[in-house]
């Protein structure tokens, strides 16, 4: 059985499928969706998700921007890297940059959800010019809180090397209500269609391995150390019901690491952009406009 989602099966009615294409870049075959006209805006989803996460938001933003939304390495329909270290934050950031070069696109701004925001910040720190700056949606920019924080990557590495545990999780994902319960634990509630796409992905071992691989190979302590050097405009949109990345994390980034960051509160959970796409689109467009006029 193919452990990766199959474009002809899981992707048969994928959201915004007409805008999908497959691109070879940086030793990977990427699934990317491109739509709209205007200044290029890159959307980077979070760990365990894929382009379906932008299913309603991307068309709204495409009225003002050219949208470029890839599946992260190993996620959704993008190929899985050959080596675990290629899941590291700097490596994924370089991979996205290579994809954009292959597409001959110079991004105006980056929008990242959760772990996607960390990739966006890493890309900016590594020198990508962004006139429109960065927008983080429930941005996962800090190490896991609490006494287990430093051990979180090690625990993820253990799962990454344990196919039995991953198989059990995939089986669990196939049980009625399991994904809805998982999403609810993040403070969000999705409709049946939204849940269906997560169910398709989480039943595939390859997708799960890649989600765990990201967590296992990321060093958010290094990102925290480097963030005071960020010069690009940064807006952090924090869902007031987010249980995965508490709203206080955005304020901590602003107060301790990136003083020029702006924090905006939104009504919703961790997947606020899926729960309230119109309201989220308005917040993103406003943030981009303000970034352009700030000195």
């Amino acid at each position: 059985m193919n452990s990766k989602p199959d474009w002809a099966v899981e992707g048969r009615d994928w959201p915004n499928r007409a805008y999908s294409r497959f691109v070879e870049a940086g030793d990977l075959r990427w699934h990317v969706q491109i739509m709209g006209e205007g200044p290029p805006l890159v959307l980077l989803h979070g760990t365990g998700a894929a382009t379906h996460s932008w299913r309603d938001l991307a068309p709204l933003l495409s009225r003002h921007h050219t949208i470029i939304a890839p599946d992260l390495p190993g996620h959704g329909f993008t190929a899985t890297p050959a080596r675990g270290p290629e899941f590291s934050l700097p490596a994924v950031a370089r991979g996205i940059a290579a994809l954009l070069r292959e597409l001959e696109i110079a991004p105006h701004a980056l929008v990242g959800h959760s772990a996607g925001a960390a990739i966006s910040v890493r890309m900016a720190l590594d020198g990508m010019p962004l006139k429109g700056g960065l927008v983080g949606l429930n941005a996962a920019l800090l190490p896991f809180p609490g006494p287990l924080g430093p051990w979180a990557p090690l625990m993820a590495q253990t799962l990454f090397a344990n196919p039995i545990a991953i198989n059990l999780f995939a089986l669990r994902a196939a049980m009625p209500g399991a994904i809805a319960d998982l999403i609810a634990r993040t403070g969000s509630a999705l409709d049946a269609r939204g849940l269906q796409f997560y169910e398709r992905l989480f039943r595939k071992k390859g997708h799960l391995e890649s989600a765990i691989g990201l967590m296992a190979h990321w060093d958010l302590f290094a990102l925290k150390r480097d963030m005071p050097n960020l010069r690009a405009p940064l807006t952090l949109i924090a869902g007031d019901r987010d249980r995965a990345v508490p709203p206080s994390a955005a304020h901590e980034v602003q107060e301790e690491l990136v003083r020029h960051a702006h924090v905006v509160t939104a009504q919703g959970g961790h997947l606020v952009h899926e729960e309230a796409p119109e309201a989220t689109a308005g917040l993103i467009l406003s943030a981009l406009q303000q970034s352009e006029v700030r000195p």
Side-chain angles (χ1 to χ4, degrees), residues 4-283:
K4 283 282 295 175
D6 187 326
W7 186 239
V9 181
E10 284 78 22
R12 62 191 181 277
D13 56 351
W14 202 247
N16 302 311
R17 197 179 198 276
Y19 300 99
S20 288
R21 64 179 75 175
F22 290 86
V23 180
E24 301 283 345
D27 298 324
L28 284 183
R29 184 173 187 258
W30 298 79
H31 170 239
V32 58
Q33 296 186 328
I34 301 176
M35 67 181 76
E37 296 182 358
L41 181 61
V42 178
L43 306 183
L44 300 177
H45 65 77
T47 304
T51 48
H52 75 282
S53 187
W54 310 114
R55 60 191 174 279
D56 297 319
L57 180 63
L60 296 173
L61 295 175
S62 71
R63 299 172 185 173
H64 308 272
H65 292 271
T66 299
I67 299 302
I68 305 97
D71 284 343
L72 295 182
H75 286 62
F77 305 98
T78 290
T80 302
R83 300 181 304 129
E86 294 173 14
F87 281 118
S88 72
L89 181 53
V92 174
R94 289 193 297 270
I96 298 292
L99 172 63
L100 294 174
R101 287 194 299 271
E102 181 65 27
L103 293 171
E104 298 183 343
I105 291 174
H108 175 74
L110 305 177
V111 175
H113 169 247
S114 194
I119 300 170
S120 300
V121 170
R122 185 73 264 169
M123 293 173 70
L125 286 168
D126 291 346
M128 178 165 286
L130 299 165
K131 181 180 179 181
L134 306 165
V135 177
L137 299 171
N138 293 320
L141 302 178
L142 301 175
F144 292 98
L148 292 179
W151 299 98
L154 179 59
M155 290 186 286
Q157 288 172 15
T158 302
L159 287 173
F160 185 65
N162 188 346
I164 295 177
I166 294 174
N167 285 334
L168 289 175
F169 194 101
L171 290 173
R172 167 64 177 160
M175 297 177 64
I179 297 302
D181 180 64
L182 179 65
I183 297 297
R185 291 175 184 272
T186 73
S188 289
L190 301 183
D191 60 19
R193 180 171 179 266
L195 291 172
Q196 182 187 75
F197 295 116
Y198 281 103
E199 289 170 353
R200 292 183 194 178
L201 296 178
F202 275 66
R203 290 170 182 169
K204 307 300 287 187
K205 178 183 173 183
H207 179 84
L208 288 174
E209 286 178 331
S210 296
I212 295 171
L214 283 183
M215 292 186 288
H217 293 91
W218 279 27
D219 184 358
L220 291 178
F221 289 93
L223 185 68
K224 182 178 180 180
R225 178 197 65 210
D226 294 345
M227 265 194 288
N229 298 320
L230 183 68
R231 297 294 175 261
L234 173 64
T235 299
L236 298 173
I237 299 174
D240 60 0
R241 298 192 301 275
D242 189 354
R243 297 178 188 169
V245 179
S248 60
H251 293 282
E252 182 178 346
V253 169
Q254 179 193 47
E255 294 167 6
E256 299 184 14
L257 301 172
V258 187
R259 295 296 181 89
H260 66 268
H262 287 248
V263 177
V264 179
T265 300
Q267 294 183 343
H270 191 59
L271 301 175
V272 63
H273 58 296
E274 298 189 48
E275 295 178 284
E278 292 188 6
T280 304
L283 293 175

